[in-house]
Structure formats: C-alpha cells, structure tokens
Amino acid sequence: MASTTVDTVVPAPREVVYQLFAARDSLNAYLPINFTLRKPGSGEPNGVGARYAVGLGGVGVIEETTRLVPGERIEYKIVAGAPVKTHTGTITFADAPGGTLVTYSMASFPKIPVPDRIMVAALRGLINPILSAARKAVAK
C-alpha cells in the first residue's frame, strides 16, 4: 500500500476551509474535474454516507464520506470506479498562523502491482490540485 501526506496553509478561517472540503462540489470552479453529489449523507447532504462522483464527463470514481468531525476532520473512501482494492483519504484542519493548516493524506492499495514511488507520485498529483483549488477559492 502506498500513502502520502501533503500539508498546506489556506489563508482563511478553519470553518470556511472545512466547509470547502466538506461540500466537495464547492471547489469545482477551480478544478479540471468535477465533484457531483450522487447520494446525500445522513442528516445533511454532505454528511456521513454522502457519495460523490469525481471525474469528468461521466468517467471517474465514486467517493463516500465515512467520517466527519466538523471543523476538524473528513474521511472518505473510494467505493467504485478505481483499479484499487482500497483507497482512503483523510483531511484534517487546524488553526495556523495566517489561516488554516490543511493536512491531506491518501492511502491506496492498487489491484495490480505498482511501485510505491509511482503510486505516491500519483497520489500527490491528486492532492495538490485540490489544495490549490481551496487556496484559489478563498482568494476570490
């Protein structure tokens, strides 16, 4: 299994940044892909159990929110569409000088053998545009 973590400070209050990630489709204007809510979560549309299609033109994966700690933590897993046995993501939020420290971690176990260094590069290639989109969204 390959895993990686990327930290960045987003220059906005923690609750604002948390909401950008909890409502995954709020970042669509700043990404080359789209997050589309397919199934509302428990208690609220973006709650636990929410499923998002992530991709473009009907091609992509389905993510399911598995845990939310408002203002602090989001966890999800891919449930369909990816050539992986498991893929999980964890995003944490903490106050930091100049904004909110976002720590984004992904772990993935592919169905076919792929060297860890290639998987880590691929995971970072998924995380970095999302973090960049959050910085752009708060700068508008």
Side-chain angles (χ1 to χ4, degrees):
M1 177 176 351
S3 63
T4 193
T5 299
V6 178
D7 294 323
T8 194
V9 173
V10 177
R14 188 184 335 181
E15 189 55 36
V16 170
V17 177
Y18 172 82
Q19 286 303 322
L20 285 173
F21 285 89
R24 309 280 279 166
D25 49 1
S26 68
L27 295 173
N28 285 350
Y30 309 97
L31 288 167
I33 59 167
N34 288 313
F35 287 83
T36 305
L37 183 64
R38 294 284 187 220
K39 176 186 164 211
S42 176
E44 60 182 288
N46 302 309
V48 172
R51 288 194 174 192
Y52 282 90
V54 183
L56 197 58
V59 177
V61 300
I62 303 295
E63 289 182 356
E64 181 177 309
T65 303
T66 57
R67 184 172 180 222
L68 292 173
V69 179
E72 294 180 19
R73 184 179 195 90
I74 297 169
E75 296 178 12
Y76 66 89
K77 65 182 177 180
I78 290 181
V79 295
V84 295
K85 292 178 183 177
T86 62
H87 176 96
T88 59
T90 303
I91 312 162
T92 61
F93 308 89
D95 295 333
T100 301
L101 174 64
V102 179
T103 301
Y104 202 134
S105 300
M106 284 186 185
S108 197
F109 187 48
K111 289 182 180 177
I112 59 172
V114 177
D116 277 355
R117 65 178 168 44
I118 292 173
M119 281 299 298
V120 166
L123 295 174
R124 285 182 171 268
L126 296 170
I127 294 171
N128 285 324
I130 296 170
L131 294 174
S132 177
R135 287 189 299 271
K136 289 175 186 173
V138 300
K140 64 172 172 86

